[in-house]
Amino acid sequence: MKNVVVVGSQWGDEGKGKIVDWLSDQADVVIRFQGGHNAGHTLVIDGVTYKLRLLPSGIVRKNKISIIGNGVVVDPWALLEEIEEIKLKGVEVNVDNFIVSESANLILPFHREMDEIREDAAGKGKIGTTRRGIGPAYEDKVGRRSIRVMDLRSETNLDHRLETVLLHHNAIRKGLGKKIFEKEKLKKDLLKIAPEILKFSQPVWLRIDEFKKKKKKILFEGAQGILLDVDHGTYPFVTSSNTVAASAATGTGCGPNSIHYVLGITKAYTTRVGEGPFPTELNDDTGELLGSRGKEFGTVTSRKRRCGWFDGVLVRQTIKISGIDGIALTKLDVLDELDEIKMCVEYELDGKKMNYLPAAVEDQLKIKPIYKTFPGWKTSTQGIKNIESLPENAKNYIYALEDFVGTKISSISTSPEREDTILLENPFDI
């Protein structure tokens, strides 16, 4: 039995959907452990496209158990809507194949509104959130005033919990000149959908223990990327959860010894959505080419992604922070038309060389990348399934990238199609 954690090694959007889908086909259980419906995975199976936001990727495959862990913040209406959407595509979602942690915290309408209010008020200082209430929901969680799935079981308890959380939010809303939120309507709306949510509710930590005893293969599915981690990312331009691999344990209720392999999904160049530092960003024709060839638009928001060269310094840093055992290199074929390809191998800050990204955002914004340049291969790599069939210049770039970041490449993706992958190492077989 091997359990695998999948995380993004950059700012998210690394192409996790394809890799997670391939791994979920081999797994028995697939678990989401952090984030919310602010990050999406796109899966293409037998010509059908599935765009998942909250549901784990295993849901589209038969005979798999899909779980939303306690570390995820759940918009209950968004979840039910997504379930209905995917059912229309012939996917079964029932109490036998889908579980939601009873300890998962809920995203409520006032969380979404607070997200919008803050972003609009921030002006140039905005973070670039998806305005889906993720941050405010996590704030209530750590503030010990959140509504959890289990709170939907009792009207009396729900009434008390809503009183507590609205005392906080309505005080802020009054201060901002906004209309206060009415408890009774919200309670009524929640009680209406409670049976549909509660039927999936279970103690996930207990089920994981059972799966481990039965030697089931578990895939822990991360959202976003390590550089958006609230502790280790480009703070404050980050998400509100821990996106590192260690979060798989706390976000589901199992010990770190349950994790046997950490796979870091890594794009062959770099992208970022929203605001914040981006040392290798390209605001030129090359950046536009990467964006158009890579179809760099957000799955959930459709926002255009910022594009730049591969930042080896950053990926080497996230590999160390998250304990990544191997990387799945994606979107190699996007680089096919370039005359030359650059890789950031060092930084310069105020005239001094640096081999890591400093923690202070003011330093991150001043960083200048130092590049190593590689000749392009100017031929198609799309659909290649054997590393020996790659052009020599492509192989040279890959080997140099692998050597610099200090972790082996386990696979190379050469198109969005699942079968167009060069497999060098299967994480479940290590």
Side-chain angles (χ1 to χ4, degrees):
M1 179 197 71
K2 290 288 181 183
N3 299 329
V4 176
V5 176
V6 172
V7 291
S9 71
Q10 294 153 307
W11 277 291
D13 310 308
E14 299 94 350
K16 290 186 289 295
K18 170 182 170 177
I19 307 300
V20 167
D21 172 51
W22 172 69
L23 288 169
S24 67
D25 194 29
Q26 304 171 59
D28 301 302
V29 182
V30 184
I31 309 179
R32 277 281 313 270
F33 60 86
Q34 50 76 220
H37 63 309
N38 55 335
H41 288 172
T42 301
L43 312 179
V44 181
I45 302 170
D46 298 328
V48 180
T49 299
Y50 304 94
K51 294 194 174 185
L52 305 177
R53 300 174 292 279
L54 262 175
L55 292 170
S57 298
I59 201 71
V60 300
R61 301 207 166 272
K62 292 182 179 179
N63 304 316
K64 311 291 179 185
I65 296 175
S66 295
I67 299 176
I68 291 178
N70 57 274
V72 179
V73 284
V74 178
D75 182 322
W77 294 278
L79 175 60
L80 294 176
E81 182 181 322
E82 190 173 337
I83 288 172
E84 288 307 307
E85 283 176 12
I86 205 161
K87 279 184 174 179
L88 291 174
K89 295 192 175 186
V91 176
E92 278 291 318
V93 183
N94 54 52
V95 295
D96 295 319
N97 71 349
F98 180 55
I99 299 169
V100 179
S101 171
E102 61 183 4
S103 302
N105 292 259
L106 299 182
I107 299 173
L108 299 177
F110 52 78
H111 291 131
R112 294 194 297 271
E113 289 185 18
M114 185 56 66
D115 219 353
E116 293 174 353
I117 291 167
R118 286 177 178 169
E119 277 292 274
D120 291 340
K124 292 182 179 180
K126 66 181 179 178
I127 301 296
T129 79
T130 56
R131 297 170 179 255
R132 280 164 168 74
I134 311 297
Y138 273 116
E139 285 180 46
D140 281 348
K141 175 181 177 178
V142 298
R144 301 183 292 270
R145 55 181 172 264
S146 186
I147 310 295
R148 301 199 285 176
V149 169
M150 65 181 74
D151 294 323
L152 299 177
R153 294 177 187 156
S154 160
E155 181 175 350
T156 303
N157 181 57
L158 180 60
D159 188 87
H160 171 69
R161 299 300 303 153
L162 285 171
E163 193 80 44
T164 300
V165 72
L166 287 176
L167 182 67
H168 171 82
H169 277 270
N170 280 336
I172 296 173
R173 294 171 73 92
K174 283 180 184 177
L176 293 171
K178 304 293 180 180
K179 185 180 177 182
I180 67 167
F181 223 91
E182 295 296 335
K183 181 187 72 173
E184 290 305 317
K185 183 182 184 306
L186 180 55
K187 183 173 74 171
K188 183 180 177 182
D189 291 343
L190 282 169
L191 289 172
K192 183 178 179 180
I193 63 168
E196 287 300 303
I197 298 295
L198 288 171
K199 71 181 182 183
F200 300 117
S201 171
Q202 292 189 41
V204 166
W205 65 270
L206 187 58
R207 295 304 310 276
I208 291 176
D209 189 57
E210 293 170 7
F211 297 140
K212 287 165 64 178
K213 287 175 180 175
K214 293 177 181 177
K215 301 201 180 298
K216 300 289 187 183
K217 289 182 179 178
I218 303 174
L219 177 65
F220 297 91
E221 177 184 358
Q224 298 137 319
I226 297 166
L227 291 168
L228 292 175
D229 185 277
V230 69
D231 287 303
H232 301 288
T234 48
Y235 189 91
F237 300 96
V238 292
T239 194
S240 299
S241 62
N242 286 111
T243 59
V244 292
S247 186
T250 54
T252 59
C254 64
N257 60 349
S258 300
I259 299 167
H260 305 118
Y261 190 103
V262 179
L263 180 66
I265 315 302
T266 307
K267 199 176 286 187
Y269 50 102
T270 311
T271 61
R272 175 164 200 170
V273 171
E275 311 302 318
F278 187 169
T280 64
E281 184 173 10
L282 295 170
N283 296 304
D284 57 12
D285 291 343
T286 303
E288 287 294 320
L289 178 68
L290 292 173
S292 60
R293 282 184 56 83
K295 297 180 174 59
E296 297 296 352
F297 295 91
T299 300
V300 172
T301 62
S302 297
R303 287 188 295 178
K304 185 178 179 181
R305 296 172 187 146
R306 300 153 64 189
C307 298
W309 294 120
F310 181 81
D311 193 328
V313 179
L314 276 185
V315 172
R316 183 175 61 189
Q317 189 165 323
T318 60
I319 284 170
K320 295 178 188 299
I321 288 168
S322 211
I324 291 173
D325 296 297
I327 63 174
L329 190 67
T330 63
K331 294 199 171 184
L332 180 72
D333 55 303
V334 173
L335 305 177
D336 287 349
E337 293 183 3
L338 297 172
D339 293 317
E340 62 178 29
I341 296 157
K342 295 183 180 182
M343 179 193 303
C344 177
V345 294
E346 204 170 18
Y347 294 139
E348 183 180 309
L349 176 63
D350 297 330
K352 295 181 180 179
K353 300 283 182 69
M354 295 194 71
N355 61 2
Y356 68 95
L357 186 73
V361 68
E362 58 264 34
D363 291 337
Q364 294 171 357
L365 290 167
K366 290 192 295 182
I367 283 284
K368 293 180 180 178
I370 298 172
Y371 292 114
K372 183 174 181 180
T373 302
F374 299 83
W377 39 94
K378 301 289 289 181
T379 186
S380 177
T381 61
Q382 188 167 1
I384 289 177
K385 299 177 180 65
N386 186 303
I387 195 165
E388 295 307 320
S389 301
L390 289 173
E392 281 303 311
N393 284 351
K395 286 191 282 188
N396 290 339
Y397 176 68
I398 290 165
Y399 294 143
L401 185 154
E402 181 180 52
D403 182 63
F404 185 82
V405 300
T407 298
K408 58 193 169 186
I409 292 176
S410 67
S411 64
I412 303 163
S413 177
T414 56
S415 97
E417 299 300 321
R418 184 180 159 200
E419 60 271 14
D420 293 340
T421 302
I422 300 168
L423 181 61
L424 303 172
E425 176 179 275
N426 187 337
F428 276 123
D429 292 341
I430 301 304

